[in-house]
């Protein structure tokens, strides 16, 4: 129930495409109510105490299932747990009753100084223990399971001993968290570090994947960088088809954060994802 | 092998202090397709880019006044001296006015710190909590002999700003949708402003000195008799009763305590 007593859409997030809800589209979504399975927002964009963002989300939430996607909790940081951030997240969860709440497999602050970026962890036993402990503490405070998303990485630590795919699979096994598989990030990392993405998929427990992300990247010449500033690339659509074959009916989000285009462009990308989801369903049914 | 904590501290110091101790951090990285230096540079660009963008969003008028190149220079220096303290980027950048006031190459732009203060006030007002208007029935039941002792509270989404420069005009002429003559005569004098929210946008309302002083005294926790005295020292003709009525009607004053 919302604070004003109106009933929320009770449905869980369906195995369809959704789009990231960004400020330039608040009003249009509310006016046109496009036919889209669900919406995802960055949790921190609604950490304010009042004002316009909450005004719109209150209304939009009444028409769409919602996912809260955090970009600032940084569970991999060795700083003390950011309880203030978690409290703000919990208030948001209580208010909007999202079906999914996700965070990233990353760190982002040291000695209280925030870098506000999704920084990769070294994939070591020590980091695995630490990250799992943090996920468990967050899940306990929030009283729910989180989804954890794989990130892009542009650096490799010498001390890493565990492949990324085994590391994230283990996080899910140990903490019971779900996984948010970012297929674009897997593609970017597979090109930058020359591994076969199929190996990644095969390491991930089938029932752990609750959500998939798709986005566009930039090619700087010497590597690929995840910018969320472009349409999904054909290579990533191809990889997505493979992911859908393996993980079946998984809610899929189109992310676009920089140079956000017209809403119609996002909806068109979502339709492409829906076609692949439906095609796979018809094929396996 | 460094502990995870040491590694993170060294990483952060390499990002923010590349020529100092941070250089050692590169030894932790695999020399592969990308050199360790290039790997770290990508993250440095990302970190500075993201924090600079957050400042551009909060300070669009400053960015317009000084131009992109200078703003990015200013932002990268600011980032080094004023670390982000929050996982929510909307919390970042509140010290920019103070920083600009002390920034050597911005000294000739004397009005810039006040414009920055105004923009941060707008930023805060945009995100502040909502509050219902003050119901006049609540005031009606307060015994008359206690009126002088009432302390009025401003709406959480309001800020008071005073400047010896015409920052109101500077702000208006640098809005994206402004049409007309953008020249501002700096000698036309200062302004006292109330920043408040209207239709979920921050708006500026110039106030007379007396009214501004009255609200500023309320904000400082002074009671009605003290706030009235403060205001009438500046403007002996200010009608306190009328000012109060108007501020309640406009939801500028939204609560009171005794």
């Amino acid at each position: 129930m919302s604070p004003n007593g109106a009933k929320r859409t009770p449905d869980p997030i369906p195995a369809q495409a959704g789009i990231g809800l960004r400020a330039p589209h608040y009003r249009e979504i509310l006016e046109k109510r496009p036919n889209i399975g669900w919406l995802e927002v960055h949790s921190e964009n609604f950490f304010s105490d009042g004002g316009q963002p909450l005004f719109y989300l209150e209304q939009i939430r009444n028409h769409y299932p919602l996912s809260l996607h955090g970009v600032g909790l940084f569970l991999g940081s060795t700083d003390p747990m950011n309880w203030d951030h978690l409290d703000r997240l919990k208030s948001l969860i209580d208010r909007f009753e999202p079906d999914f709440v996700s965070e990233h497999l990353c760190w982002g602050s040291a000695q209280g100084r925030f870098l506000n970026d999704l920084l990769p962890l070294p994939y070591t036993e020590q980091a695995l223990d630490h990250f799992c402990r943090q996920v468990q503490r967050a899940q306990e405070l929030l009283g729910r399971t989180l989804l954890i998303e794989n990130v892009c990485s542009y650096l490799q630590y010498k001390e890493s001993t565990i492949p990324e795919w085994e590391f994230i699979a283990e996080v899910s096994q140990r903490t019971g968290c779900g996984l948010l598989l970012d297929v674009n990030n897997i593609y970017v990392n597979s090109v930058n570090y020359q591994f076969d993405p199929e190996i990644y998929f095969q390491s991930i427990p089938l029932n752990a994947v609750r959500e998939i992300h798709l986005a566009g990247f930039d090619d700087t010449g010497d590597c690929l960088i995840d910018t969320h500033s472009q349409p999904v690339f054909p290579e990533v659509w191809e990889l997505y088809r493979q992911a859908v074959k393996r993980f079946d009916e998984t809610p899929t989000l189109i992310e676009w954060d920089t140079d956000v285009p017209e809403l119609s462009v996002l909806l068109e990308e979502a339709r492409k994802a829906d076609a692949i989801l439906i095609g796979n369903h018809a094929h396996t049914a | 092998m460094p502990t995870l904590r040491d590694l993170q501290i060294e990483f952060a110091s390499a990002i923010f202090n590349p020529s100092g101790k941070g250089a050692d951090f590169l030894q932790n990285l695999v020399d592969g397709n990308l050199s360790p230096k290039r790997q770290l540079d990508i993250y440095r660009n990302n970190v500075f880019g993201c924090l600079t963008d957050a400042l551009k969003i909060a300070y669009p008028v400053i960015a317009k006044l000084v131009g992109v190149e200078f703003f990015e220079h200013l932002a990268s220096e600011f980032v080094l001296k004023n670390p982000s303290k929050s996982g929510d980027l909307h919390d970042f950048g509140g010290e920019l006015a103070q920083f600009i006031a002390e920034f050597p190459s911005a000294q000739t732009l004397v009005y810039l710190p006040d414009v920055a203060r105004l923009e941060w006030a707008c930023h805060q007002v945009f995100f502040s909590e909502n509050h219902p208007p003050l119901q006049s029935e609540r005031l009606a039941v307060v015994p008359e002999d206690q009126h002088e002792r009432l302390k009025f509270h401003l709406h959480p989404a309001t800020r008071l700003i005073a400047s010896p420069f015409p920052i109101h005009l500077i702000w208006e002429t640098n809005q994206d949708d402004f049409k007309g003559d953008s020249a501002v005569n700096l000698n036309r004098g200062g302004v006292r402003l109330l920043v408040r929210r209207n239709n979920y946008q921050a708006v500026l309302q110039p106030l007379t000195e007396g009214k501004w002083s009255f609200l500023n005294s309320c904000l400082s926790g002074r009671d009605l008799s003290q706030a009235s005295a403060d205001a009438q020292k500046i403007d002996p003709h200010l009608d306190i009763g009328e000012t109060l009525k108007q501020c309640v009607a406009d939801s500028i004053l939204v609560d009171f305590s005794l």
Side-chain angles (χ1 to χ4, degrees):
Chain A
M1 300 284 274
S2 69
N4 61 14
K7 200 165 182 338
R8 298 281 186 210
T9 312
D11 328 280
I13 288 178
Q16 293 172 17
I19 59 171
L21 174 65
R22 303 292 177 258
H25 301 143
Y26 290 164
R27 194 182 295 217
E28 193 179 355
I29 294 255
L30 207 51
E31 281 167 6
K32 295 188 180 159
R33 298 234 220 113
N35 181 17
I36 183 90
W38 55 287
L39 296 171
E40 182 166 280
V41 297
H42 285 175
S43 313
E44 290 79 5
N45 285 346
F46 300 88
F47 271 14
S48 64
D49 301 311
Q52 190 201 55
L54 290 166
F55 167 77
Y56 278 115
L57 191 60
E58 275 292 344
Q59 298 173 71
I60 292 171
R61 173 68 186 90
N62 288 328
H63 304 291
Y64 295 94
L66 181 73
S67 160
L68 293 182
H69 185 51
V71 295
L73 186 54
F74 304 126
L75 289 167
S77 297
T78 50
D79 279 348
M81 177 65 99
N82 193 343
W83 296 112
D84 173 58
H85 198 97
L86 261 179
D87 281 342
R88 289 162 91 180
L89 179 59
K90 181 146 181 27
S91 303
L92 203 61
I93 292 169
D94 290 344
R95 183 165 181 175
F96 289 101
E97 300 180 88
D99 194 25
F100 295 161
V101 178
S102 51
E103 289 291 334
H104 294 86
L105 174 57
C106 74
W107 66 283
S109 74
Q111 296 175 305
R113 173 171 209 157
F114 283 75
L115 293 91
N116 298 94
D117 194 12
L118 308 173
L119 305 173
L121 287 164
Y123 298 126
T124 61
E125 290 295 338
Q126 186 193 13
L128 183 60
D129 288 343
H130 173 71
F131 191 76
C132 288
R133 202 161 48 239
Q134 293 290 86
V135 170
Q136 274 158 345
R137 293 167 80 192
Q139 291 188 145
E140 277 162 27
L141 184 117
L142 297 174
R144 60 182 297 148
T145 53
L146 290 170
L147 310 191
I148 296 296
E149 178 179 10
N150 58 300
V151 295
C152 268
S153 153
Y154 316 110
L155 60 71
Q156 279 182 303
Y157 300 99
K158 279 183 187 163
E159 60 174 306
S160 287
T161 52
I162 307 170
E164 183 195 321
W165 44 91
E166 285 178 23
F167 191 98
I168 196 167
E170 190 63 21
V171 168
S172 168
Q173 297 279 359
R174 287 197 200 173
T175 67
C177 75
L179 295 182
L180 195 180
L181 218 53
D182 189 313
V183 171
N184 183 59
N185 290 352
I186 293 176
Y187 179 76
V188 165
N189 286 357
S190 79
V191 171
N192 288 346
Y193 299 123
Q194 291 151 19
F195 63 80
D196 179 0
E198 194 56 37
I199 295 175
Y200 204 119
F201 289 161
Q202 281 167 12
S203 303
I204 304 294
L206 285 177
N207 56 3
V209 179
R210 312 274 164 75
E211 181 183 342
I212 288 177
H213 271 184
L214 293 172
F217 57 79
D218 268 355
D219 188 343
T220 58
D222 59 352
C223 69
L224 306 185
I225 298 204
D226 176 38
T227 50
H228 297 183
S229 62
Q230 309 247 14
V232 179
F233 278 74
E235 302 89 324
V236 176
W237 282 121
E238 189 46 44
L239 196 57
Y240 175 60
R241 280 190 193 89
Q242 294 176 39
V244 169
K245 260 185 213 155
R246 179 166 167 85
F247 301 107
D248 204 14
E249 298 184 12
T250 307
T252 300
L253 188 90
I254 304 294
E255 278 190 303
W256 203 316
D257 294 302
T258 310
D259 305 327
V260 176
E262 300 278 310
L263 180 61
S264 59
V265 175
L266 293 183
L267 296 174
E268 187 50 39
E269 291 281 279
R271 268 190 285 277
K272 285 189 202 168
D274 268 333
I276 292 171
L277 280 166
I278 291 164
N280 184 68
H281 185 70
H283 183 71
T284 53
Chain B
M1 198 170 80
T3 64
L4 183 58
R5 178 157 183 75
D6 289 342
L7 189 75
Q8 292 182 349
I9 291 169
E10 281 175 30
F11 186 115
S13 113
I15 292 281
F16 293 118
N17 186 16
S19 54
K21 250 184 76 183
D24 296 345
F25 173 78
L26 296 180
Q27 295 167 10
N28 293 301
L29 302 179
V30 174
D31 195 354
N33 277 355
L34 301 175
S35 70
K37 183 179 175 305
R38 169 75 176 131
Q39 295 174 46
L40 192 68
D41 281 346
I42 292 175
Y43 281 99
R44 189 178 295 114
N45 282 341
N46 284 356
V47 168
F48 277 82
C50 174
L51 293 170
T52 300
D53 284 349
L55 292 176
K56 275 185 197 160
I57 290 168
Y59 296 97
V61 172
I62 297 286
K64 211 164 173 177
L65 286 170
V66 302
V68 175
E69 203 176 321
F70 187 85
F71 189 85
E72 288 179 356
H73 166 59
L74 177 77
S76 59
E77 294 292 318
F78 176 79
V79 165
L80 291 177
K81 300 230 166 54
N82 296 270
S84 165
K85 297 282 187 192
S86 170
D88 175 5
L89 276 171
H90 300 103
D91 297 335
F92 176 64
E95 307 89 350
L96 191 68
Q98 186 59 38
F99 184 80
I100 291 174
E102 293 161 9
F103 197 60
S105 42
Q107 292 304 307
T108 50
L109 306 173
V110 284
Y111 51 88
L112 217 51
D114 282 354
V115 177
R117 280 202 297 134
L118 175 60
E119 289 208 279
W120 189 252
C122 291
H123 180 78
Q124 289 181 307
V125 158
F126 184 82
F127 292 108
S128 293
E129 64 190 284
N130 305 340
H131 199 291
L134 175 57
Q135 301 300 324
S136 47
E137 301 84 60
R138 280 189 54 212
L139 268 175
V141 298
V142 178
E144 205 161 318
D145 61 348
Q146 295 188 10
H147 282 185
E148 294 284 279
R149 287 177 42 227
L150 288 175
K151 290 176 179 171
F152 284 90
H153 305 181
L154 274 74
H155 191 294
T158 54
R159 294 292 182 277
L160 292 166
I161 301 268
S163 171
F165 305 106
I167 57 172
H168 178 211
L169 278 179
I170 294 173
W171 188 87
E172 274 186 346
T173 53
N174 284 284
Q175 295 304 301
D176 281 341
D177 55 1
F178 177 78
K179 290 186 186 71
D181 184 5
S182 63
V184 175
N185 178 0
L186 285 181
N187 298 322
R188 64 175 289 150
V191 67
R192 283 164 201 277
L193 291 172
L194 170 72
V195 184
R196 57 185 295 228
R197 202 159 62 199
N198 186 16
N199 210 6
Y200 291 105
Q201 299 299 325
V203 292
L204 314 187
Q205 189 176 328
L207 299 180
T208 63
E209 278 192 58
K211 195 167 170 182
W212 191 92
S213 157
F214 175 72
L215 288 175
N216 198 38
S217 296
C218 292
L219 189 66
S220 319
R222 307 211 0 118
D223 69 22
L224 187 55
S225 71
Q226 293 165 324
S228 307
D230 296 342
Q232 280 169 338
K233 243 181 260 168
I234 290 162
D235 179 2
H237 303 296
L238 185 71
D239 182 340
I240 297 292
E242 187 54 34
T243 300
L244 196 57
K245 215 168 100 186
Q246 213 174 60
C247 287
V248 170
D250 291 347
S251 266
I252 295 164
L253 295 174
V254 290
D255 202 354
F256 62 84
S257 55
L258 264 171

